[in-house]
């Protein structure tokens, strides 16, 4: 059986010279492989090389079979339908044309052997447990814009299964998903009928993998086994590397002490020999010969001692090279000076029900994908018309009639959306931050971005060319460095593009923040760690406290 994907000495650098991959050689076997690595390590670059969207600067990427790809952010053409998202629109169009009497050979070629595509699509859609009811074959013409981000992701993943591609690559497939849809995706991937590579920070999903591939420091290594086994092996390897580094440090210190001792003994021996020769009346010519011989021996001793120090230092350098010096984002949020009695936000629904967020309260807003959480936030911020219905199912409970209305009572609001579309993709990271912090110098902006691991030429690269994790950090910087500081932070799935260590850093930063927070998240790790005063559940156009 051929290996589905082979990387042979692959290197890739961006036009500004930044190295993404350095002499990578690895294979992705059949089955399920989890791709892990810190934000910006190059996971999306690996996927784009597999799909052929990018080409290596050197080396060869060999892919055996067709590839289906679901990126982190689902983007569709205007007017795209659920059928487009499933990848069956062309087949359906050809099938309908044949049913209408067409004899065009192209239509028959397009359909191929998939005459039951409508039945297959209907079965796939029905298996997806959406909020307000599942989709059916009747929804194939429904606009994608009426789906939530999480619903669109699940439909796209289901479309990959329906397509039956030899190789499928999924980039953060469980981002934005509620517990039910996350479970649906886990089950789809567990039973995936082919080779699938999944880039994810979802440890429960990674535990289902047959192998773990890690990108670190521009290199790719593959470990046979699930995430926990890989993690245990990696931690053991690091513990051994740290111990080897300590041992090598001790060897360097011992070699340096030994060399100093040799130099001191040699110097004392030379002095004593000279004094003894003078006392005993040894002729000068003989004394000079004795001195030359002693100094020659001392030189050899010094050289030997120096060689031992260099050898020990070389071993230390090699040992240190095996110890990871992982960088993590550093986030310090400013004090917005929010008084405990200050009313920040009001939510109302029904005839008289309401909730007020006051002072530095932390509120978590929960609800199924498609229940209207993002819609509510965008309506409060004026990004969506108040009467907009979240989707086309106007008869679904809660999407018309009794509805939740939000009202902001401060104009100092920082918003971190799911899709990161607050950024100007044509502008650089520096220019995006300058737009919200006009008083900051370029040096100050670069220093702040460096704390979020955006350094060097990357800060001048167009944001549209950055990875998902890098784009997230630019969005986070806009949020944190705005002047004046926000009194309310609205975070919509803030951990979507963060590695696990960066989630820890974000939790610490939010704990120190003294303003109000409204967070929407389906990330169980994040929600278990961040402090929340009130939990609200949005369902059927109403809010319940939990």
């Amino acid at each position: 059986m051929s290996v589905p994907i082979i990387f042979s000495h692959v290197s890739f650098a961006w036009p500004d010279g930044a190295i993404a991959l350095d002499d990578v050689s690895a294979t992705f076997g059949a089955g399920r492989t989890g791709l892990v690595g810190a934000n910006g390590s190059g996971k999306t670059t690996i996927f784009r090389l597999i799909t052929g969207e990018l080409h290596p600067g050197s080396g060869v990427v060999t892919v055996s079979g067709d590839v289906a790809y679901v990126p982190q952010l689902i983007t569709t053409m205007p007017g795209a339908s659920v059928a487009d998202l499933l990848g069956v629109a062309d087949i359906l169009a050809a099938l309908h044309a044949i049913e209408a009497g067409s004899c065009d050979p192209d239509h028959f070629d397009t359909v191929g052997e998939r005459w039951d595509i409508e039945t297959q699509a209907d079965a796939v859609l029905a298996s997806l447990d959406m909020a307000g009811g599942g989709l059916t074959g009747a929804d194939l013409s429904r606009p994608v814009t009426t789906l939530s981000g999480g619903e669109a992701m699940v439909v796209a993943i289901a479309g990959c299964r329906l397509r039956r591609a030899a190789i499928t690559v999924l980039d953060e497939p469980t981002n934005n998903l509620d517990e039910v849809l996350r479970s649906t995706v886990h089950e789809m991937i567990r039973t995936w009928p082919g080779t699938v590579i999944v880039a994810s920070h979802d440890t429960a999903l990674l535990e289902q993998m047959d192998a773990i591939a890690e990108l670190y420091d521009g290199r790719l290594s593959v470990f046979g086994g699930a995430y926990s086994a890989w993690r245990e092996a990696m931690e053991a390897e690091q513990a051994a590397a740290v111990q080897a580094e300590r041992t090598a440090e001790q060897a360097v210190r011992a070699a340096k002490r030994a060399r100093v001792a040799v130099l001191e003994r040699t110097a004392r021996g030379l002095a004593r020999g000279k004094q003894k020769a003078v006392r005993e009346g040894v002729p000068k010519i003989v004394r000079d010969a004795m001195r030359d011989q002693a100094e020659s021996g001392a030189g050899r001793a010094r050289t030997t001692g120096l060689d031992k120090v260099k050898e020990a230092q070389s071993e230390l350098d090699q040992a240190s090279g095996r110890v990871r010096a992982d960088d993590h984002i550093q986030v310090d949020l400013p004090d917005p000076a929010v008084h405990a009695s200050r009313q920040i936000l009001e939510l109302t629904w029904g005839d008289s029900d309401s909730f007020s967020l006051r002072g530095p309260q932390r509120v978590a807003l929960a609800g199924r994908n498609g229940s209207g959480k993002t819609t509510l936030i965008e309506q409060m911020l004026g990004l969506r018309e108040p009467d907009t219905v979240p989707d086309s199912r106007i008869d679904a409970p809660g999407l018309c009639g009794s509805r939740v209305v939000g009202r902001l009572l401060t104009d100092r609001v920082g918003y971190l959306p799911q899709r990161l579309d607050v950024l100007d993709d044509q502008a650089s990271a520096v220019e995006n931050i300058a737009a919200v912090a006009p008083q900051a110098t370029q040096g100050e902006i670069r220093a702040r971005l460096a704390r979020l691991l955006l350094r060097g030429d990357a800060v001048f690269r167009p944001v549209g060319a950055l990875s998902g994790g890098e784009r997230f950090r630019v969005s986070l910087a806009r949020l944190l460095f705005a002047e004046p500081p926000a009194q309310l932070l609205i975070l919509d799935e803030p951990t979507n593009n963060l590695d696990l260590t960066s989630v820890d850093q974000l939790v610490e930063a939010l704990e120190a923040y003294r303003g109000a927070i409204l967070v929407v998240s389906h990330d169980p790790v994040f929600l278990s760690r961040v402090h929340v005063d009130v939990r609200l559940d949005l369902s059927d156009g109403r809010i319940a406290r939990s």
Side-chain angles (χ1 to χ4, degrees):
M1 181 182 293
S2 63
V3 178
I5 301 169
I6 302 173
F7 278 64
S8 300
H9 301 288
V10 172
S11 295
F12 180 84
W14 296 106
D16 62 8
I19 296 175
L21 301 174
D22 182 20
D23 194 26
V24 168
S25 292
T27 60
F28 290 91
R32 297 158 300 182
T33 299
L35 180 60
V36 300
N39 295 133
S41 60
K43 299 187 296 295
T44 300
T45 301
I46 286 283
F47 281 173
R48 294 172 70 186
L49 287 167
I50 291 173
T51 61
E53 183 181 346
L54 296 177
H55 301 283
S58 62
V60 178
V61 179
T62 304
V63 179
S64 302
D66 57 331
V67 180
Y69 175 40
V70 179
Q72 289 184 31
L73 300 177
I74 302 296
T75 56
T76 57
M77 296 293 290
S81 66
V82 169
D84 290 307
L85 195 54
L86 277 176
V88 300
D90 290 344
I91 301 176
L92 287 173
L95 182 62
H96 293 160
I98 293 170
E99 291 173 344
S102 172
C103 296
D104 188 336
D106 288 341
H107 289 151
F108 285 86
D109 289 341
T110 300
V111 174
E113 297 180 357
R114 308 193 70 178
W115 296 96
D116 60 345
I117 189 64
E118 285 186 292
T119 301
Q120 292 180 20
D122 189 33
V124 166
L125 292 177
S127 70
L128 307 180
D129 188 1
M130 305 290 195
L135 300 175
T136 68
D139 290 300
L140 286 170
S141 60
R142 176 177 161 185
V144 172
T145 53
T146 65
L147 300 177
S148 71
E151 289 174 327
M153 174 62 76
V154 174
V155 171
I157 295 170
C160 284
R161 277 186 65 112
L162 193 59
R163 175 176 164 179
R164 304 172 187 169
I167 299 167
T168 303
V169 287
L170 307 175
D171 201 349
E172 300 290 355
T174 57
N175 281 357
N176 305 324
L177 302 189
D178 60 44
E179 184 177 354
V180 175
L181 290 184
R182 186 181 294 250
S183 177
T184 298
V185 171
H186 282 200
E187 180 61 20
M188 278 198 288
I189 293 174
R190 188 186 70 81
T191 59
W192 201 270
T195 296
V196 60
I197 305 173
V198 182
S200 181
H201 299 119
D202 182 344
T203 54
L205 177 59
L206 292 172
E207 197 59 32
Q208 298 180 181
M209 299 295 110
D210 302 310
I212 298 296
E214 186 200 20
L215 263 174
Y216 179 80
D217 196 24
R219 299 184 180 275
L220 181 66
S221 58
V222 181
F223 174 89
Y227 178 79
S228 58
W230 167 79
R231 187 80 190 177
E232 183 178 350
M234 188 267 290
E235 289 175 353
E237 179 183 291
Q238 279 302 290
V242 170
Q243 183 57 51
E245 183 183 45
R246 291 172 180 168
T247 300
E249 288 173 344
Q250 293 172 356
V252 168
R253 289 194 292 268
K256 288 180 176 179
R257 287 195 300 268
R259 180 169 182 266
V260 169
V262 167
L263 293 176
E264 290 176 347
R265 285 197 304 271
T266 301
R268 288 196 298 268
L270 287 172
R272 285 196 300 267
K274 181 178 180 180
Q275 292 170 359
K276 180 179 179 182
V278 171
R279 283 197 309 269
E280 294 178 355
V282 176
K284 184 176 185 302
I285 189 170
V286 176
R287 292 202 309 269
D288 289 345
M290 292 173 61
R291 182 199 63 204
D292 292 344
Q293 184 178 7
E295 288 182 347
S296 177
R300 288 194 299 272
R302 285 194 292 269
T303 300
T304 299
L306 182 60
D307 288 344
K308 290 183 177 179
V309 171
K310 289 180 177 179
E311 181 181 348
Q313 184 62 53
S314 175
E315 292 180 357
L316 173 57
D317 292 341
Q318 292 178 28
S320 297
R322 293 191 293 271
V323 177
R324 301 187 179 211
D326 291 323
D327 241 348
H328 309 303
I329 64 173
Q330 301 176 30
V331 183
D332 292 320
L333 300 183
D335 184 355
V338 178
H339 193 274
S341 63
R342 171 68 191 274
Q343 190 172 4
I344 301 294
L345 165 68
E346 183 180 52
L347 301 176
T348 60
W349 64 95
D351 296 329
S352 58
D353 293 317
S354 65
F355 170 79
S356 293
L357 187 158
R358 295 181 180 275
Q361 271 189 313
R362 287 106 192 284
V363 176
L365 181 61
R368 292 290 313 277
N369 287 124
S371 61
K373 302 182 298 298
T374 298
T375 297
L376 173 62
I377 290 171
E378 291 180 347
Q379 288 175 349
M380 285 193 295
L381 294 170
L383 303 176
R384 186 190 291 255
E385 291 298 321
D387 294 330
T388 300
V389 175
D391 62 38
S392 63
R393 293 167 289 173
I394 58 173
D395 57 341
L399 299 183
C400 57
S402 176
R403 298 180 54 78
V404 179
V405 176
R407 186 164 65 98
L408 293 172
L409 302 173
T410 176
D411 59 356
R412 289 167 54 183
V413 179
Y415 176 44
L416 187 68
Q418 285 185 32
R419 296 181 179 272
L420 308 182
D421 50 10
V422 296
L423 300 175
D424 180 351
D425 281 352
Q426 303 305 313
S428 68
V430 169
E431 291 167 336
N432 270 276
I433 306 308
V436 297
Q439 303 304 315
T441 66
Q442 185 180 103
E444 290 171 337
I445 292 175
R446 293 191 66 182
R448 293 170 179 176
L449 288 171
R451 302 184 69 187
L452 297 177
L453 308 187
L454 283 168
R455 304 185 179 104
D457 293 335
V459 302
F460 299 115
R461 194 183 301 159
V463 166
L466 300 180
S467 70
E470 290 170 327
R471 284 174 56 82
F472 172 83
R473 292 198 290 273
V474 177
S475 297
L476 188 60
R478 277 180 56 94
L479 184 75
L480 306 184
F481 305 144
E483 301 170 354
Q487 293 180 327
L488 169 65
L489 297 182
I490 300 179
L491 312 176
D492 196 352
E493 301 292 354
T495 62
N496 273 356
N497 297 292
L498 289 185
D499 56 55
L500 296 176
T501 304
S502 295
V503 171
D504 293 341
Q505 298 286 332
L506 180 60
V507 169
E508 292 174 7
L510 295 180
E511 290 299 295
Y513 179 59
R514 298 185 181 181
I517 298 174
L518 175 65
V519 60
V520 174
S521 178
H522 293 113
D523 183 344
V525 175
F526 176 68
L527 290 176
S528 68
R529 301 204 44 213
V530 70
H531 170 73
V532 173
D533 296 308
V534 180
R535 294 182 184 271
L536 304 176
D537 189 272
L538 177 59
S539 177
D540 295 341
R542 294 178 175 274
I543 284 181
R545 296 183 64 149
S546 59

